[in-house]
Amino acid sequence: MKTYLALISAAAIGLAACGKTDKPAETAPAAEASAPAAASEAAPAAGSDASAAAPAAEGASGAASADAGNCATTVEANDAMQFNTKDIKVSKACKEFTVTLKHTGTQPKAGMGHNLVIAKAEDIEGVVADGSSAGPDADYVKAGDARIVAATKLIGGGEEAKVTFDPAKLANGSFKFVCTFPGHAALMNGTVTLAD
Ligand SMILES: [Cu+2]
């Protein structure tokens, strides 16, 4: 019984301390004397605290999933030699960023293959030329090309490929993405923008 009261008092003191941080020494004896009152008063307060905390927690997890969404994007490519976007936005808050390339067409990769290659705007021409020379077995990407920030493999209709890179690689300069399949870059290109 004594322990029980002591626990209630301790709880009341604890709750009182949460509410009023200024005079802990004075509130301690008062809390002991009016333990039941303090406890019943404290209960609704604790309840409202909990309900207030719940939406906040939901908001936090919502933000977390939104962040995850911002660290990945999907770009579609089709049989008409087109990407479905002209700009890929990359949040600089992301530790890594993933681009999924989805070929929504039906043509095989030998005739209408696509990849997605990111490099500095001024390097794109060279990357495309060297990729073309590298040939289809190399996914039209020159092996070990240091100018390339990221490159997916070459895919045909109905296929999908992913590439993940560090957004910090986009810190200096302006960047573009292209498909390096011979003849595609003129139509299949866009900018890669680093955003907040
Ligand atoms: Cu292509």
Side-chain angles (χ1 to χ4, degrees), residues 9-130:
S9 301
I13 291 164
L15 287 164
C18 283
K20 306 178 209 169
T21 49
D22 44 354
K23 296 175 188 171
E26 253 180 63
T27 55
E32 214 174 314
S34 59
S40 66
E41 262 175 47
S48 69
D49 272 1
S51 64
E58 261 172 48
S61 68
S65 62
D67 279 347
N70 286 341
C71 293
T73 193
T74 298
V75 175
E76 292 179 1
N78 62 20
D79 284 344
M81 213 191 288
Q82 295 165 322
F83 284 127
N84 72 338
T85 182
K86 278 284 177 188
D87 185 37
I88 296 174
K89 282 192 172 33
V90 178
S91 168
K92 60 175 85 164
C94 298
K95 283 203 177 81
E96 41 183 40
F97 190 86
T98 300
V99 177
T100 300
L101 175 65
K102 206 171 179 177
H103 193 318
T104 58
T106 57
Q107 299 208 32
K109 77 175 176 182
M112 188 50 73
H114 300 306
N115 62 13
L116 190 152
V117 178
I118 298 172
K120 268 190 178 161
E122 64 262 36
D123 289 336
I124 286 287
E125 209 175 319
V127 165
V128 170
D130 291 347

Side-chain angles (χ1 to χ4, degrees), residues 99 101 115-119 127 138-142 145 148-154 161-165 178 180:
V99 177
L101 175 65
N115 62 13
L116 190 152
V117 178
I118 298 172
V127 165
D139 294 330
Y140 294 113
V141 168
K142 181 187 165 188
D145 192 335
I148 293 177
V149 171
T152 69
K153 61 176 190 165
L154 190 71
K162 277 180 208 267
V163 66
T164 297
F165 62 94
V178 283
T180 61

